[in-house]
Amino acid sequence: MSESSIRLPEYIRHAARELYPGIVSVRRDIHRHPELSFQEFRTTGLIRSYLEGLGLEIGPQYLETGCVALLRGTARVSSSEKRAAVALRADIDALPVQEENSSEFCSTSAGCMHACGHDMHTAILLGTASLLAGMRERIPGDILFIFQPAEEKAPGGARPMLEAGLFSDYCPSAVFALHCFPHIATGNVALREGSLMAAADELYLTVRGQGGHASAPHHAADPILASAHIVTALQHLVSRVASPYEQAVVSVSSIHGGHATNVIPGSVEMSGTMRTMNESLRSTFHERFERAVRDVASAFGTTAEVNIVHGYPVLSNDARMTALARQAAVEILGERHVEEGDPLMTAEDFSYYLQECPGTFIQLGTGPAGDNSGEPLHSSRFEPDERALETGMNVMSAVAMKALRG
């Protein structure tokens, strides 16, 4: 039986199984040598060398780090059909975390670790490129592989790559990515239509008053007292501004002011985060947040400076592409291995791609079966199950083919 006569899901599963040992080695190499955002020079060199070895067309260097490559399928496309392109993305940067695992391939870089699974994502996409390069004659279009730097550090690598012309150069009709999730069992994936991950904004406040002796607070304008009331007042944004059916978070996570027990300080600095699941609520929260902070500060005879740093937007999965990806995942993994995803208040700069092109973000299981999740993302002991590498290659390859074939 010739390769061309083997059913596509069977071919993909067989190829992923054959590639798996080598992709494990690639993942471990990347894990040993993690690099922080916009510093991924070694990782970029490894990716480029691997893709050149597959005969892919290396694209422009949009940023100092990262790499894009194009695989041109050779399957015949009818003259009435426009040649399609599908984009697949992996993030490649690590986190400033000191690894506390004991495996033989632990990070060799002090204070730096792949604690979010980007080494897995990169290895999976390299394996997917290898798998699909081996079946060019079945591919009725082009596949763009995006290895993006700096997902972990706002403003991230996605937006500057897009601004530099990534999608205007390649014009993909769909874009897909996946991410490790330890609360989902290895071998499974989860998908969700619509809002999946939150917009994340950074909050910075400075409350200024009049310092004085702590024994005579009536001669001062106490910024610590004002700050305490501001923290309490901000909770009404979630409980009284957002609908009970909306997901939102406002957290003040640091407060700094004063240095002595008998001195009321002149100022207090605070910072925190705001997470919302739709852009309309996000805009409302920004306006109400600034008003609440300044009004409460004024009521205590103090003033407040407010700085809201816009982070990544809401990650919203396209309905049609999510349904397409779900169908592809069921065909390649089986229905019992495809779950409904739950919304998350974490953020991802893949959201920028989805603002430009329809697509979906796939949750890849990397945890143990049952109710016991593995170590959480960003933990110094995060250790994903490497068997998920094969699952990831299967799903990304099947989704790309399904998107090109319609």
Side-chain angles (χ1 to χ4, degrees), residues 199-210:
D201 299 316
E202 297 176 3
L203 310 174
Y204 298 96
L205 314 175
T206 301
V207 181
R208 300 190 188 280
Q210 176 63 53

Side-chain angles (χ1 to χ4, degrees), residues 203-211 221-231 252-259 263-271 293 297 302-307:
L203 310 174
Y204 298 96
L205 314 175
T206 301
V207 181
R208 300 190 188 280
Q210 176 63 53
D222 189 349
I224 288 183
L225 180 61
S227 297
H229 281 268
I230 287 170
V231 172
V252 176
S253 50
S254 73
I255 302 178
H256 300 281
H259 61 277
V263 177
I264 293 173
S267 65
V268 171
E269 293 185 350
M270 296 186 284
S271 65
V293 170
T302 62
T303 60
E305 298 169 7
V306 179
N307 182 24

Side-chain angles (χ1 to χ4, degrees), residues 134-382:
M135 49 180 285
R136 283 181 173 86
E137 74 285 351
R138 291 188 175 206
I139 301 175
D142 301 329
I143 300 175
L144 177 66
F145 296 92
I146 304 169
F147 294 86
Q148 178 214 304
E151 188 279 326
E152 295 289 1
K153 185 177 178 62
R159 188 169 67 178
M161 288 186 77
L162 291 166
E163 290 173 346
L166 174 61
F167 276 8
S168 59
D169 287 345
Y170 289 99
C171 303
S173 57
V175 61
F176 302 95
L178 53 69
H179 198 294
C180 296
F181 283 97
H183 69 278
I184 300 171
T186 299
N188 290 7
V189 297
L191 296 107
R192 180 183 179 85
E193 172 188 326
S195 297
L196 174 67
M197 301 180 78
D201 299 316
E202 297 176 3
L203 310 174
Y204 298 96
L205 314 175
T206 301
V207 181
R208 300 190 188 280
Q210 176 63 53
H213 201 290
S215 67
H218 56 296
H219 292 310
D222 189 349
I224 288 183
L225 180 61
S227 297
H229 281 268
I230 287 170
V231 172
T232 301
L234 289 178
Q235 301 313 304
H236 87 282
L237 292 174
V238 174
S239 66
R240 291 297 181 267
V241 175
S243 162
Y245 303 105
E246 287 277 5
Q247 293 175 308
V249 171
V250 176
S251 293
V252 176
S253 50
S254 73
I255 302 178
H256 300 281
H259 61 277
T261 60
N262 61 347
V263 177
I264 293 173
S267 65
V268 171
E269 293 185 350
M270 296 186 284
S271 65
T273 187
M274 177 186 293
R275 307 288 173 119
T276 47
M277 288 297 275
N278 74 64
E279 293 297 330
S280 176
L281 180 62
R282 185 188 194 185
S283 178
T284 299
F285 264 31
H286 285 190
E287 189 274 327
R288 294 290 294 269
F289 178 90
E290 291 198 40
R291 190 197 312 172
V293 170
R294 291 198 169 103
D295 286 353
V296 173
S298 178
F300 285 87
T302 62
T303 60
E305 298 169 7
V306 179
N307 182 24
I308 301 175
V309 178
H310 286 56
Y312 302 155
V314 175
L315 189 154
S316 185
N317 289 327
D318 179 77
R320 188 171 74 86
M321 290 302 163
T322 303
L324 180 150
R326 186 184 303 277
Q327 183 181 358
V330 167
E331 290 173 0
I332 199 74
L333 301 179
E335 192 163 0
R336 69 188 182 92
H337 293 294
V338 182
E339 307 176 10
E340 178 67 20
D342 294 323
L344 304 162
M345 299 310 289
T346 48
E348 237 283 353
D349 75 347
F350 186 69
S351 53
Y352 288 116
Y353 298 104
L354 294 175
Q355 289 184 332
E356 302 292 328
C357 178
T360 200
F361 192 67
I362 301 163
Q363 296 174 274
L364 175 70
T366 62
D371 296 330
N372 298 318
S373 295
E375 284 285 331
L377 298 173
H378 291 212
S379 164
S380 60
R381 296 187 182 278
F382 177 64

